[in-house]
Amino acid sequence: MTPGDEVVVALDVGGTGMKCALVRPDGATVHAERHATDAARGPEAVVGTILDVAEGLAGKARADGLTPVACGIAVPGVVDEARGVAVWSANVGFRDVPLRDLARERLGLPTALGHDVRVGGLAEARLGAGRDAGHVLFVAIGTGIAAAHVVDGSAAVGAHGAAGEIGHILVRPDGPRCGCGRPGCLEAMASASAIGRRYAELSGAPATAAEVADRAAAGEPLAGRVWTDAVEALADGLATGQALFDVATIVIGGGLAQAGPRLFDPLRTALRERLTFHREPRLVAAALGDEAGCLGAALLALDTLAKESR
Ligand SMILES: [Zn+2]
């Protein structure tokens, strides 16, 4: 076995799909495949698919003359990384699933279980837009808003596996009710879903966040108002993040980052207006796209392997 033969089996499990890959220790993907999660089948069936897919990837590696050395799995929700348990997930239905040990048993490989956004942040901080920054805040903005605080290549997990819930910073006490039950969370103002929903409520016509951004750029006043409100709320949330973490770089990922300068130009200005003595972080778009979670799962697995062999 030469070092160049080693690969990690990596899976990023989402509410609708699983991104899966064989990844070399340097972060290069040698094989990628996608599968449906089909969460409506229930958590047991989803776990069965995860194990089957992981086993299939390990077999594929061996058939190609590669050596699978570890497995990394990323899932959404609340994840206890130390115990390897998927504690709770709204969109996949997990409740206290010991996924790490199940995968370790099936594959016979050291396995790590991570949180999708935290490992995504890990990948952006080590291989993507936050490379060489040291202190990075990765913020994923899609149907929800979540963050990962990465220091020197390691993401903080929190005492209960729930660090990084920046989407539930209170920014507008009189604002719309959040999915968590409280009015005024950042996520209820500025997630891609919230932007589309707010525009639809005010205009009576459905629209995606991207369409709201387009219409705002084209000069439509209502779209402009909704977009500006979201950007201001985001800037409030990011200013709080910067006060807490003092990072060098904030990496914005998820669907909303695709709005490009329509998001980044006003957001940079609004964030700058809110900072007093805090240093302004570099504000950049994520570089790894939707592969970040899968690459991050691989990195987490490699970290676990390094720790176990020490
Ligand atoms: Zn909330």
Side-chain angles (χ1 to χ4, degrees), residues 167-169 178-182 184-188:
H168 303 283
I169 287 179
C178 177
C180 77
R182 187 179 66 179
C185 289
L186 175 58
E187 184 168 299

Side-chain angles (χ1 to χ4, degrees), residues 107-201:
L107 302 180
L109 294 174
T111 299
L113 182 69
H115 177 263
D116 57 353
V117 174
R118 283 201 291 272
V119 299
L122 206 61
E124 286 291 346
R126 277 155 67 169
L127 305 169
R131 213 154 74 176
D132 305 323
H135 294 249
V136 174
L137 186 66
F138 171 67
V139 183
I141 309 174
T143 49
I145 301 180
H149 180 214
V150 185
V151 178
D152 297 333
S154 170
V157 174
H160 313 94
E165 294 287 358
I166 200 170
H168 303 283
I169 287 179
L170 182 62
V171 292
R172 300 286 180 271
D174 55 352
R177 189 168 293 276
C178 177
C180 77
R182 187 179 66 179
C185 289
L186 175 58
E187 184 168 299
M189 285 295 298
S191 69
S193 321
I195 292 169
R197 195 165 51 233
R198 175 120 193 278
Y199 181 85
E201 275 166 18

Side-chain angles (χ1 to χ4, degrees), residues 15 57 77 87 100 128-129 135 137 149 198 241 272 293 298 303-304:
L57 279 166
V87 177
R100 181 190 64 194
H135 294 249
L137 186 66
H149 180 214
R198 175 120 193 278
R272 190 173 296 147
D303 291 351
T304 304

Side-chain angles (χ1 to χ4, degrees), residues 7-265:
V7 287
V8 174
V9 173
L11 288 85
D12 176 17
V13 179
T16 52
M18 301 180 193
K19 292 146 208 150
C20 316
L22 294 171
V23 181
R24 286 191 197 278
D26 65 0
T29 298
V30 297
H31 168 78
E33 50 189 67
R34 294 190 177 212
H35 299 269
T37 302
D38 201 0
R41 296 175 300 151
E44 266 174 48
V46 173
V47 169
T49 302
I50 290 170
L51 298 178
D52 290 347
V53 167
E55 194 175 32
L57 279 166
K60 157 89 181 147
R62 291 189 188 98
D64 291 352
L66 302 167
T67 307
V69 291
C71 173
I73 302 172
V75 296
V78 177
V79 182
D80 185 334
E81 294 182 9
R83 291 195 302 128
V85 174
V87 177
W88 180 87
S89 155
N91 45 8
V92 189
F94 291 148
R95 300 285 182 278
D96 290 316
V97 179
L99 201 46
R100 181 190 64 194
D101 289 351
L102 290 171
R104 200 198 315 241
E105 251 165 55
R106 174 76 80 90
L107 302 180
L109 294 174
T111 299
L113 182 69
H115 177 263
D116 57 353
V117 174
R118 283 201 291 272
V119 299
L122 206 61
E124 286 291 346
R126 277 155 67 169
L127 305 169
R131 213 154 74 176
D132 305 323
H135 294 249
V136 174
L137 186 66
F138 171 67
V139 183
I141 309 174
T143 49
I145 301 180
H149 180 214
V150 185
V151 178
D152 297 333
S154 170
V157 174
H160 313 94
E165 294 287 358
I166 200 170
H168 303 283
I169 287 179
L170 182 62
V171 292
R172 300 286 180 271
D174 55 352
R177 189 168 293 276
C178 177
C180 77
R182 187 179 66 179
C185 289
L186 175 58
E187 184 168 299
M189 285 295 298
S191 69
S193 321
I195 292 169
R197 195 165 51 233
R198 175 120 193 278
Y199 181 85
E201 275 166 18
L202 294 175
S203 71
T208 64
E211 287 163 351
V212 175
D214 287 344
R215 288 173 200 177
E220 189 196 300
L222 178 60
R225 206 176 98 210
V226 170
W227 189 251
T228 300
D229 285 353
V231 166
E232 303 255 310
L234 263 182
D236 286 342
L238 294 184
T240 299
Q242 185 62 358
L244 289 171
F245 302 129
D246 181 32
V247 294
T249 301
I250 295 179
V251 179
I252 308 278
L256 204 68
Q258 282 160 19
R262 290 172 187 180
L263 173 68
F264 284 89
D265 291 349

